[in-house]
Amino acid sequence: MTTRAKLTLYSALATALGALGLTPLVTPNYWVFLAIVQIFVAAGAGAGLRRLALPRLLVVPLQLVVVCYTLLLTSVGDAMPFGLVPGARALDEVNNLLTAGGSDIQQYASPAPAHPGIQLILISSVALVAVLVDALAVTFRQAAAAGLPLLAMYSVGTGLSGGSEAWLWFLLAASGFLLLLFAEGQDRLSRWGRVFHGAGTQGTPNALSHSGHRIGLVALVCALIVPVFVPQGDLGLLSSGGNGDGTGGRGGSVTSLNPVVALTANLNRPNAVDLFSYTTDSADPSQMYLRIAALDSFDGVQWKASEQHLQNVPKQLPTPEGLSATVPSTTVNTDVRISDDLSSEWLPLPYPADRVQVPGDWRFEAESRALIGDNGQKTNGLSYHVDSRNLQPTADQLRLATTPPPDILQKYTKLPGDLPKVVAETAKQVTAGKDTPYDQAVALQNWFTGGSFTYSLKVDAGTGNDAIVKFLRDKTGFCVHFAATMAAMARTLGIPARVAIGFAPGADKGGGQFIERSEDYHAWPELFFPGTGWLRFEPTPLRGSEPSYTRGDIAPTPSAGASRPTSEPSTGASAGPSASSACVGPGHRIGDCGTDAPVAVTVPHRTPWWLSWAALASFGTVLLLLALLAAPMLWRVRLRRRRLGVGRHLPGAPPGGGSSELTDAQVLAAWDELIDSAWDLGIPPDEAGTPRLTARRIAENGRLDATATAAAGRVALATEQVLYARGPLPHPPLGPDVRTTTAGLRAAAGLRGRARAVLLPASSARVWWRLTDRVMTFRENLRTRAARAGGALRAKLRRPAGRSKPEQP
């Protein structure tokens, strides 16, 4: 194996071993096999391009083109015409996958589910690292610098996943890098002279090589063992200040991971598990949701919790914000028992809770009324008691709600500047004819639950702009999409809104006892109404329960003295569903309101022009690259047919028969074909030798049998007669002899040698030589003509202006 081939192999091996450190990030980790395929595609592309003797700066971008095309084939091949040609549709699919993958990265903790978007990002990253490592170690012969992309890949994997197996990923990554360094070191030492593999003495290349191996192995062992005996401290790499645990200490602040991560992971469990049980004396347990957190900040990428200011848990929790004493409510007592399968830093609580008796180190966040674990406190195995309120506002009370306070409006109606217009436009269509925020909120809820939307967990999780637009277009998603979209639409209408995460009512076991399972994780929007505070709405069909205060008919204008909503349905046409009595209660949630007029949501979608041009440019580059790779093979086939065609039909010979003897030019063409065939199969030409010596050298190096050796001798003898005989001599056809010799060489060359002779024939270098000679000749002729023209111009300029030619006698 040549040094370059060895470096190529070890570069691919080092990248593959380093990529194994990324396997804990995603489960299942079948994607790593596709990543290894991309690694060896990058290595093969680099090896092939370097054989073409291209400039080093051109090899790397062409490698990237090959890798990108392979990624398109393996990820979005179904979207490509004929499965081969990348186009606008394929780029749209790639954009959708990358967007979904970016959203998943923001929402999931490791190990994340192996969604196609995350897999594409991981495989693309590994392929990019493979190209960089191959370029640095092989193309530019800087193996030490190739450790930088390997280190970056290892750091990302272990930094995000952590875990006790980090030492294993370090061992694999470091071993791959050491193998690469050893291979390059042997190459450098071999340039000093011949490397003997016997017992060496100090100062010989062999001794230096073994010393380098020992140093590398000792360093690797020390890196694995020494940290076990060294005290470790928290360097604050991932902490947010405070006491170093991310909670900010007493009276500090915390920005927690998005609880959507836990929700999506639990909903996608293959087998549901019991998370906790609770016993309650609620008169209407179907209305009791247990809440863990509220996402109040929307930046266009995701809904998330803003910075949370924590305090000690008061004995009596403060009155909920915006709640007045005029709203009827009842007190609910609940006892909760958490299983070991629920490990969370958020404590499940009915909303709004008044008193919580819980052991452990918990902190209270006033705005969201959430209890958050401090100093690593988790919910595992906890038992606690909660006193809460069951709010029972009437529809007229909500219709008569005043304008929210300015600080509430400012914070909870804030929207990103790049929010797609379709969100606000759809909200206006759905709520057309509704005059109060309450009626608008109920119209939004009923629009989602009216039957035109489908609940499905097969949609990628996401709460950002792209996810909302896709959800409005496809009308398919799960609770996260319904809650995030309704909250965003409510904000466009000026209604303060946020997204709550928690649990829908559990399964009734009788006697006031309920079981919450992983499949009960849920998300829902909360909207703010002055006098009542934050209220739950339920836009997700077939999940949870519709709030009792939204089951009344929706009147366009409330009556100030009415004690309950009117029973007459609205006769005005609207974009939202009608509120007939047949649509009251659960029946409305399973699509019984067949007369609802669905709102057509038109989402503008157009591929950017530059994506189309980029696809065409990439495809054109791939075709050009394939043409460059195929050109030597095609040229060689054509040249062989032209040279040996004389054995089948002699130019100038009578078509029906006649002499089959060869001319001198045809004999030399057959000899050239024999020389080039041997060169393609690993025996380079030697212009200094005579044809007879050359034939003997080919027979010895090619390990030819007696028949092939005799055939090569006949071609050499005919060539010497042409070159050295006094006059022309008759020559029999030499095509069969050339083919016999070539067949013997191919049999001894092995499969790899035969493949190289066909795909990358070494004799194709003659094309480059001829092209170089022609370029040099052209430049020399151009330089000569320019010199002549310049001389004539200078002679003309030196002639005096007034002097005329002498008269002819």
Side-chain angles (χ1 to χ4, degrees):
M1 183 183 295
T2 63
T3 301
R4 179 176 289 178
K6 187 181 297 184
L7 284 175
T8 302
L9 178 61
Y10 284 142
S11 297
L13 180 61
T15 307
L17 291 176
L20 294 178
L22 299 175
T23 53
L25 299 181
V26 173
T27 183
N29 49 25
Y30 302 135
W31 66 270
V32 75
F33 297 106
L34 296 176
I36 291 176
V37 170
Q38 292 296 330
I39 291 172
F40 285 96
V41 165
L49 291 168
R50 285 186 287 267
R51 285 297 302 270
L52 295 178
L54 296 174
R56 292 190 298 181
L57 294 177
L58 189 60
V59 171
V60 179
L62 291 179
Q63 267 184 286
L64 289 173
V65 169
V66 174
V67 169
C68 290
Y69 183 71
T70 309
L71 283 171
L72 289 176
L73 284 178
T74 55
S75 60
V76 294
D78 295 340
M80 299 167 62
F82 308 106
L84 295 173
V85 184
R89 183 176 167 220
L91 292 181
D92 285 343
E93 289 295 324
V94 171
N95 182 59
N96 292 336
L97 287 176
L98 293 178
T99 301
S103 178
D104 288 344
I105 289 174
Q106 292 176 346
Q107 296 193 37
Y108 286 102
S110 62
H115 291 161
I118 292 184
Q119 292 190 59
L120 178 60
I121 291 175
L122 286 173
I123 295 173
S124 302
S125 302
V126 172
L128 177 60
V129 170
V131 172
L132 291 176
V133 171
D134 183 82
L136 291 171
V138 188
T139 304
F140 296 100
R141 296 297 179 97
Q142 299 293 330
L148 293 176
L150 292 174
L151 175 62
M153 183 168 60
Y154 163 78
S155 301
V156 169
T158 56
L160 292 179
S161 62
S164 58
E165 69 279 1
W167 66 271
L168 176 61
W169 312 130
F170 172 78
L171 176 62
L172 293 174
S175 299
F177 183 51
L178 284 179
L179 288 175
L180 179 59
L181 291 180
F182 291 163
E184 192 207 28
Q186 289 181 347
D187 173 54
R188 291 181 182 273
L189 290 175
S190 65
R191 298 177 190 177
W192 297 2
R194 183 179 179 185
V195 178
F196 296 94
H197 295 283
T201 59
Q202 189 66 26
T204 65
N206 187 55
L208 290 175
S209 177
H210 284 296
S211 297
H213 293 180
R214 286 192 290 268
I215 293 173
L217 292 176
V218 170
L220 179 58
V221 172
C222 290
L224 289 172
I225 295 178
V226 171
V228 178
F229 303 98
V230 176
Q232 299 182 18
D234 186 1
L235 300 180
L237 179 63
L238 297 177
S239 62
S240 58
N243 58 15
D245 61 3
T247 60
R250 299 284 175 179
S253 62
V254 61
T255 302
S256 303
L257 288 174
N258 196 326
V260 174
V261 173
L263 181 149
T264 310
N266 277 277
L267 289 179
N268 284 282
R269 282 183 184 236
N271 297 309
V273 297
D274 294 346
L275 298 181
F276 63 93
S277 64
Y278 63 91
T279 303
T280 181
D281 61 0
S282 173
D284 190 3
S286 65
Q287 294 291 314
M288 198 171 92
Y289 282 46
L290 274 74
R291 186 170 166 279
I292 59 175
L295 311 181
D296 55 6
S297 176
F298 181 46
D299 57 5
V301 177
Q302 63 176 336
W303 281 89
K304 59 184 178 181
S306 58
E307 186 177 10
Q308 300 169 336
H309 301 278
L310 305 181
Q311 57 183 281
N312 293 330
V313 180
K315 186 175 181 179
Q316 180 73 32
L317 301 185
T319 302
E321 185 177 20
L323 179 61
S324 69
T326 60
V327 176
S329 65
T330 58
T331 300
V332 177
N333 297 285
T334 305
D335 291 297
V336 183
R337 184 171 184 177
I338 308 290
S339 73
D340 290 333
D341 289 319
L342 178 59
S343 179
S344 173
E345 62 179 356
W346 299 283
L347 192 68
L349 297 173
Y351 184 86
D354 287 330
R355 183 192 300 266
V356 181
Q357 300 174 12
V358 57
D361 198 357
W362 296 90
R363 313 297 304 284
F364 176 66
E365 203 284 313
E367 289 192 19
S368 63
R369 299 184 69 82
L371 262 64
I372 300 172
D374 198 8
N375 296 319
Q377 176 69 55
K378 300 290 186 180
T379 58
N380 309 62
L382 280 179
S383 296
Y384 54 95
H385 178 81
V386 184
D387 294 337
S388 61
R389 306 187 193 189
N390 179 22
L391 302 180
Q392 300 170 351
T394 64
D396 276 351
Q397 282 180 321
L398 296 175
R399 289 193 181 99
L400 293 172
T402 59
T403 303
D407 58 333
I408 296 292
L409 280 175
Q410 181 179 2
K411 180 176 181 178
Y412 293 100
T413 60
K414 185 178 181 180
L415 291 167
D418 59 347
L419 182 70
K421 294 182 180 179
V422 67
V423 180
E425 292 172 354
T426 305
K428 290 181 180 179
Q429 293 177 31
V430 172
T431 61
K434 312 305 177 187
D435 298 328
T436 68
Y438 166 75
D439 291 331
Q440 293 173 339
V442 175
L444 289 175
Q445 174 183 274
N446 292 344
W447 181 63
F448 285 111
T449 60
S452 59
F453 283 82
T454 302
Y455 182 91
S456 174
L457 289 173
K458 296 181 180 180
V459 181
D460 292 339
T463 59
N465 289 342
D466 294 337
I468 291 175
V469 171
K470 186 176 185 297
F471 174 65
L472 289 175
R473 180 181 68 237
D474 300 341
K475 298 184 183 300
T476 301
F478 58 100
C479 57
V480 166
H481 304 96
F482 286 92
T485 305
M486 179 171 171
M489 294 172 71
R491 286 194 175 190
T492 65
L493 299 172
I495 306 173
R498 63 189 184 188
V499 175
I501 305 293
F503 298 88
D508 190 353
K509 297 299 182 181
Q513 184 178 6
F514 297 83
I515 298 293
E516 294 281 5
R517 312 193 75 200
S518 55
E519 61 190 5
D520 294 320
Y521 251 105
H522 196 45
W524 60 90
E526 290 183 342
L527 277 58
F528 185 87
F529 296 91
T532 307
W534 291 100
L535 290 178
R536 172 182 67 87
F537 285 78
E538 186 52 272
T540 307
L542 304 180
R543 286 297 181 275
S545 60
E546 193 175 49
S548 58
Y549 43 81
T550 66
R551 295 176 185 171
D553 298 326
I554 305 174
T557 56
S559 171
S563 60
R564 59 182 181 87
T566 177
S567 59
E568 291 296 326
S570 173
T571 57
S574 67
S578 62
S580 64
S581 59
C583 295
V584 177
H588 178 75
R589 300 182 55 74
I590 58 177
D592 287 345
C593 301
T595 58
D596 295 348
V599 175
V601 179
T602 304
V603 181
H605 184 73
R606 186 179 64 179
T607 303
W609 64 269
W610 59 269
L611 280 178
S612 301
W613 281 106
L616 293 176
S618 300
F619 183 63
T621 305
V622 170
L623 289 180
L624 178 61
L625 182 59
L626 293 177
L628 290 175
L629 292 174
M633 177 180 64
L634 298 177
W635 171 82
R636 192 70 185 84
V637 171
R638 179 176 178 274
L639 183 62
R640 183 181 299 111
R641 289 179 177 176
R642 183 165 58 86
R643 285 171 171 174
L644 300 183
V646 295
R648 296 186 296 271
H649 175 71
L650 297 175
S659 175
S660 60
E661 297 178 353
L662 304 184
T663 65
D664 291 349
Q666 293 166 344
V667 172
L668 294 179
W671 175 250
D672 289 340
E673 177 58 31
L674 179 63
I675 295 297
D676 286 351
S677 296
W679 189 7
D680 294 339
L681 291 165
I683 304 175
D686 183 5
E687 303 293 342
T690 64
R692 191 172 305 178
L693 291 177
T694 300
R696 184 181 307 166
R697 181 174 61 86
I698 291 174
E700 292 175 353
N701 293 342
R703 302 187 297 277
L704 297 179
D705 57 16
T707 303
T709 301
R714 288 192 292 269
V715 179
L717 178 61
T719 304
E720 288 186 342
Q721 291 175 350
V722 170
L723 294 177
Y724 307 128
R726 293 184 177 180
L729 297 175
H731 305 289
L734 298 176
D737 289 334
V738 173
R739 283 189 282 270
T740 300
T741 306
T742 303
L745 292 173
R746 289 174 59 84
L751 179 61
R752 181 178 176 184
R754 292 194 295 270
R756 181 174 56 192
V758 173
L759 299 176
L760 294 172
S763 61
S764 60
R766 297 187 188 277
V767 178
W768 179 257
W769 296 344
R770 292 175 184 174
L771 180 62
T772 303
D773 291 341
R774 291 182 181 180
V775 171
M776 293 181 62
T777 302
F778 175 77
R779 293 174 61 184
E780 187 64 29
N781 293 336
L782 187 63
R783 189 181 297 109
T784 301
R785 293 181 181 179
R788 290 177 181 175
L793 181 61
R794 286 192 297 272
K796 185 176 182 180
L797 293 176
R798 283 197 298 267
R799 182 182 301 162
R803 182 180 299 178
S804 60
K805 294 183 179 180
E807 296 180 1
Q808 298 292 334

